[in-house]
C-alpha cells in the first residue's frame, strides 16, 4: 500500500484547501544546498510565495528540498542580473542566502545593498561557522560543525569511535530550522534586520538538555556511559534473533518495569535501575533476552504494553508503517516518498504548494516576466 493511502482524519498535506499561515509573504531564495533550501521549503510549505534564484546553469537536483517554488535563472555577476536581483529584493519580505561571508557583498547584494532598496527586508544568512570568528571563511560540512561543538563526540558507544548521525543535526536541526525560526522572529519587527544563523550556534542550542544534565551531575561519564548515549540498559538499541533491532527508551520506573515484564525478567534478579556501576552487566542481560526472538515477535509483545519499546525500521518500512500512513506522514511523489509538511495547524494547514513558473511569481510581485536567454 502506498504512503498516505489509508483513510485518516488527518488533513492531506499534499493539498492545501485553505491558505497557509504565511500566505502573502514574499521570499527570495538564493540557491544553495542543504540548510538554506530546507528553511525555504519550510516557509513555502507554510504558504509563503518563494522564488528560488540561481545562476544560469543546469539545476542541481536536491529533490524535495526545492518543492513548492519555481527556479529563476539570474546572472548575478552581470550588471543586468544584479539590477534584476535588486528589483526582486525590493518587492520581497524575506531574503535567504547561504554563501560564505562576503560573497553577497562582493556581488553588490549584501545587507546594506538590500536594505537600501528595501529597508523592511529580513535578510536571512545561513552559514556553518557564522559571519565572523576565526573559522568564518573555512569550508565545512555537518560533521565538522557537530565535531567542533562537542556533539559528535557524544554520539558514541563506550570505547568506540563517534558515529555521525548522517547530516541531520547541523544542516537541518541546527541550521535550516534555526534560520526559519530566526526569520519568523525578525518578521515580528517593523524594521528589517539581518539574521545570522550559524550551524555551530544552532547545534550548541540543540545540546541545551545535555549541558543541563552535565551541570546537574547526571552526565558524569565519558561518551557511551551515560543515561541517553547507550550507557544505560534502559536507553539503547538491542539486536533481535533475526538481526533486526528494537529501540528501548524505558527511562521512567513504570516503563522499566514493563520492559522487564515483556522480556520475562524478574526485577528481583537485577540491581536497581539507577545503579550505574551495574549498567554494563544489566545491558548484557537485556541484550541476551532480546536475542531470543525476532523483531516482529518483540513488536507484538511490546506494542500493547506502553513500555517505550519500538521496532527500528528502515526507510521503506517507515513509509509503510501503519501509524505513519494513518497520519499521512509521507507523501507520494513522482520520484518516491517524501516527508509531509510539519507541524500541523488546524485552521491554516501547511501543504506542498504548486510552484507555477518564474513568470507567474514575478507577475504576482509586480515585476516583468523574465526575458528568454
Amino acid at each position: 500500500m502506498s504512503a498516505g493511502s489509508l483513510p485518516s482524519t488527518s488533513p492531506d498535506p499534499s493539498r492545501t484547501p485553505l491558505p497557509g499561515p504565511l500566505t502573502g509573504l514574499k521570499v527570495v531564495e538564493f540557491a544553495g544546498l542543504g540548510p538554506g533550501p530546507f528553511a525555504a521549503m519550510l516557509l513555502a510549505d507554510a504558504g509563503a510565495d518563494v522564488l528560488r534564484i540561481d545562476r544560469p546553469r543546469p539545476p542541481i537536483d536536491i529533490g524535495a528540498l526545492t518543492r513548492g517554488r519555481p527556479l529563476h535563472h539570474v546572472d548575478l555577476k552581470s550588471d543586468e542580473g544584479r539590477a534584476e536581483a535588486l528589483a526582486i529584493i525590493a518587492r520581497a519580505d524575506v531574503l535567504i542566502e547561504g554563501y560564505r561571508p562576503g560573497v553577497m557583498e562582493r556581488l553588490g547584494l549584501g545587507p546594506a545593498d538590500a536594505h537600501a532598496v528595501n529597508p523592511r527586508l529580513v535578510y536571512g544568512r545561513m552559514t556553518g561557522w557564522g559571519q565572523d570568528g576565526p573559522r568564518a571563511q573555512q569550508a565545512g560540512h555537518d560533521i565538522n560543525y557537530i565535531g567542533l561543538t562537542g556533539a559528535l563526540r557524544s554520539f558514541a558507544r563506550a570505547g568506540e569511535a563517534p558515529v555521525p548521525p548522517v547530516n541531520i543535526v547541523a544542516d537541518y536541526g541546527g541550521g535550516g530550522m534555526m534560520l526559519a525560526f530566526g526569520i519568523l522572529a525578525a518578521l515580528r519587527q517593523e524594521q528589517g534586520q539581518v539574521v545570522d544563523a550559524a550551524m555551530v550556534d544552532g547545534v550548541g542550542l540543540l545540546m541545551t538538555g545535555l549541558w543541563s544534565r552535565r551541570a546537574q551531575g547526571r552526565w558524569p561519564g565519558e561518551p557511551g556511559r551515560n543515561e541517553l548515549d547507550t550507557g544505560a540498559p534502559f536507553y539503547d538499541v538491542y539486536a533481535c534473533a533475526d538481526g533486526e533491532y528494537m529501540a528501548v527508551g524505558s527511562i521512567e520506573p513504570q516503563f522499566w518495569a514493563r520492559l522487564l515484564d515483556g522480556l520475562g525478567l524478574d526485577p528481583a534478579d537485577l540491581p536497581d535501575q539507577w545503579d550505574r556501576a551495574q549498567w554494563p552487566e544489566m545491558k548484557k542481560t537485556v541484550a541476551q533476552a532480546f536475542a531470543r526472538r525476532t523483531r516482529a515477535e518483540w513488536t507484538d509483545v511490546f506494542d500493547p504494553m506502553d513500555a517505550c519499546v519500538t521496532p527500528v525500521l528502515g526507510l521503506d518500512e517507515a513509509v509503510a508503517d501503519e501509524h505513519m500512513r494513518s497520519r499521512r506522514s509521507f507523501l507520494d511523489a513522482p520520484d518516491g516518498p517524501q516527508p509531509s509538511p510539519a507541524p500541523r495547524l488546524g485552521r491554516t494547514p501547511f501543504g506542498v504548494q504548486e510552484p507555477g513558473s518564474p513568470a507567474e511569481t514575478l507577475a504576482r510581485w509586480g515585476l516583468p516576466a523574465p526575458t528568454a536567454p
Side-chain angles (χ1 to χ4, degrees):
M1 187 176 291
S2 62
S5 59
L6 281 183
S8 173
T9 57
S10 296
D12 184 350
S14 67
R15 299 176 178 85
T16 312
L18 296 172
L22 297 184
T23 295
L25 186 74
K26 297 180 177 65
V27 180
V28 56
E29 170 200 1
F30 288 85
L33 300 174
F38 181 63
M41 183 196 78
L42 295 178
L43 300 181
D45 285 351
D49 195 359
V50 184
L51 179 64
R52 181 174 166 86
I53 289 179
D54 199 359
R55 65 179 183 268
R57 62 176 178 180
I60 299 175
D61 184 6
I62 53 177
L65 288 172
T66 61
R67 73 186 182 195
R69 57 225 198 254
L71 176 64
H72 178 40
H73 292 291
V74 178
D75 182 3
L76 299 177
K77 294 185 178 181
S78 71
D79 292 340
E80 296 80 5
R82 177 179 177 275
E84 182 181 1
L86 286 172
I88 294 171
I89 290 169
R91 302 297 181 96
D93 301 299
V94 174
L95 180 152
I96 291 176
E97 65 95 358
Y99 302 140
R100 291 199 201 193
V103 170
M104 288 292 279
E105 284 83 352
R106 290 194 293 274
L107 291 171
L109 301 172
D113 305 294
H115 284 142
V117 298
N118 186 350
R120 62 181 177 78
L121 181 76
V122 173
Y123 197 107
R125 317 198 79 170
M126 184 77 259
T127 61
W129 305 111
Q131 293 297 314
D132 52 41
R135 295 184 184 270
Q137 291 297 329
Q138 289 184 5
H141 284 293
D142 187 294
I143 193 170
N144 307 116
Y145 310 133
I146 64 175
L148 200 73
T149 53
L152 180 56
R153 190 66 186 91
S154 302
F155 305 145
R157 293 184 177 277
E160 296 183 8
V163 177
V166 292
N167 67 326
I168 294 173
V169 178
D171 277 357
Y172 301 113
M177 195 77 74
M178 293 297 178
L179 175 59
F181 173 69
I183 287 170
L184 295 178
L187 283 169
R188 292 280 296 171
Q189 308 301 308
E190 294 182 359
Q191 186 174 356
Q193 57 181 306
V194 177
V195 179
D196 176 4
M199 284 178 251
V200 288
D201 298 341
V203 171
L205 193 62
L206 293 176
M207 295 174 66
T208 301
L210 188 153
W211 284 106
S212 297
R213 284 182 170 84
R214 185 177 177 87
Q216 296 164 359
R218 296 169 57 193
W219 204 269
E222 290 296 311
R225 303 183 188 278
N226 304 286
E227 61 187 89
L228 299 179
D229 62 359
T230 74
F234 49 77
Y235 202 90
D236 203 350
V237 174
Y238 291 97
C240 304
D242 56 354
E244 298 293 342
Y245 298 89
M246 295 293 288
V248 173
S250 307
I251 303 173
E252 291 79 3
Q254 69 271 26
F255 301 137
W256 173 245
R258 292 171 193 164
L259 169 67
L260 298 184
D261 184 31
L263 292 175
L265 298 174
D266 188 343
D269 296 334
L270 295 172
D272 179 77
Q273 176 187 355
W274 288 93
D275 186 347
R276 288 175 175 267
Q278 300 302 318
W279 278 358
E281 286 302 315
M282 294 166 70
K283 282 170 62 71
K284 291 180 182 178
T285 300
V286 173
Q288 289 168 357
F290 269 111
R292 298 189 186 110
R293 296 188 184 185
T294 66
R295 185 186 69 179
E297 290 174 320
W298 285 123
T299 300
D300 289 340
V301 168
F302 283 107
D303 268 2
M305 295 189 69
D306 196 24
C308 299
V309 180
T310 52
V312 176
L313 302 181
L315 295 178
D316 292 338
E317 292 176 310
V319 173
D321 177 74
E322 181 180 12
H323 180 81
M324 306 299 277
R325 286 187 288 131
S326 71
R327 285 189 55 80
R328 302 183 189 274
S329 296
F330 293 93
L331 303 176
D332 287 320
D335 56 352
Q338 58 180 250
S340 295
R344 304 187 180 189
L345 277 64
R347 190 165 56 83
T348 53
F350 293 5
V352 177
Q353 308 297 316
E354 290 294 335
S357 68
E360 292 169 335
T361 301
L362 291 170
R364 284 195 302 271
W365 291 26
L367 293 166
T371 57

